[in-house]
Amino acid sequence: MDVEEAPKDTGTPPAQHGRGKAMHRLLVALNCGMLILGTTGGPLLSRLYFSKGGHRQWLAAWLETGGWPLLLIPVVASYLTRRSRDPSAPLLLTRPRWILLAAAALGVATGADDFLYAYGLSYVPVSTSAILISTQLAFTVLFAFLIVRQRLTAFSLNAVALITIGAVVLGLHASSDRPAGVTKGQYWMGFFLSLGAAALYGLVLPLVELTYKRAASGGRVLTYALVVEMQLVMGFFATAFCTVGMIVNNDFQAIAREARAFELGEARYYTVLVWSSIFWQFFFLGAVGVIFCVHTLLTGILIAAFIPVTEMLGVLLLHEKFSSEKGVALVLSLWGLASYSYGEYADARAKKKKAALWEAQAS
């Protein structure tokens, strides 16, 4: 993504990110769509891997990060477009150097988060993991308030409280939810590692927004091409982090042996791995794209909003149990989502009225 000069004040509000409204809406829809696909498809494929004979947590984490080479296509296309306009255009847009370093650090944090998530998912059902991950919204709200000064409202705080209570309800009735062959100790380890993954990614999202704000300082605005390039860097370093774990754990040598023992067959084993990597890349690119187009909290809300979909797909496709505790947690999550959505709607209406008043006074 290029870094363009911010538009000068002409007496009217500037277009968001220097783009027309139609392009902005297209980017919002595209990134929301990718985030939704990743939020539902990624966890299901990861759990399918574990439920059918896979047991390599580092491999599952590596797959979550390993789709970054797909981003080389838009990054190269962006460079060729810039080069056609300006032969001296730089190869990379992640300048100054600190932006590259920030993306690398965020990538390592993402790799660690992926390992926590994969390890937790190997011991808890995807339907339970999905509700636990919904607590990420609470951490996102907290860290967004502390790091990027995101305004909190009674509606957002109510959403955080409801979703958190839902996770507590699950924790109080954990014994009835253990998959076959998983000990109580392993279940609780998976339970708390899933919560840890939610907390860590709740920290990563506001830090991504903070990086955007710092990069846009000095009267400049960001373009989507830089967002994709930063995600490419983050994905590379996240994969590098997980690759070290793979090497230490001898997971690369075990892939062929695990494929032969996979319940669905060797060919489907590799199919699950490839599509898992693709869907998780949708998730990560969609997440940073929504932050770029709107803000951090919308990313957290979309992830939480499709938790019920992921949970129901786990019950329908993977034949997981749907206990009364999951039902209570699901209702609380939906209630929290409705509360937050209404608050955002009311806030948007207030801003629209204020903008209309501003335009009337200016004219």
Side-chain angles (χ1 to χ4, degrees), residues 30-46 64 117 275-287 302-303 306 310:
L30 176 64
N31 285 280
C32 287
M34 288 191 294
L35 181 57
I36 290 167
L37 284 173
T39 299
T40 53
L44 282 172
L45 287 167
S46 294
E64 290 178 30
Y117 176 80
W275 279 105
S276 176
S277 188
I278 291 173
F279 272 95
W280 278 114
Q281 191 54 231
F282 283 160
F283 172 84
F284 288 116
L285 182 58
L302 283 174
I303 294 172
F306 281 85
T310 305

Side-chain angles (χ1 to χ4, degrees), residues 70-85:
L70 294 173
L71 301 181
L72 288 171
I73 298 173
V75 167
V76 170
S78 174
Y79 168 70
L80 293 176
T81 301
R82 297 195 313 273
R83 188 68 182 269
S84 66
R85 297 195 306 259

Side-chain angles (χ1 to χ4, degrees), residues 8-13 358 362:
K8 295 181 181 179
D9 186 9
T10 59
T12 58
W358 183 86

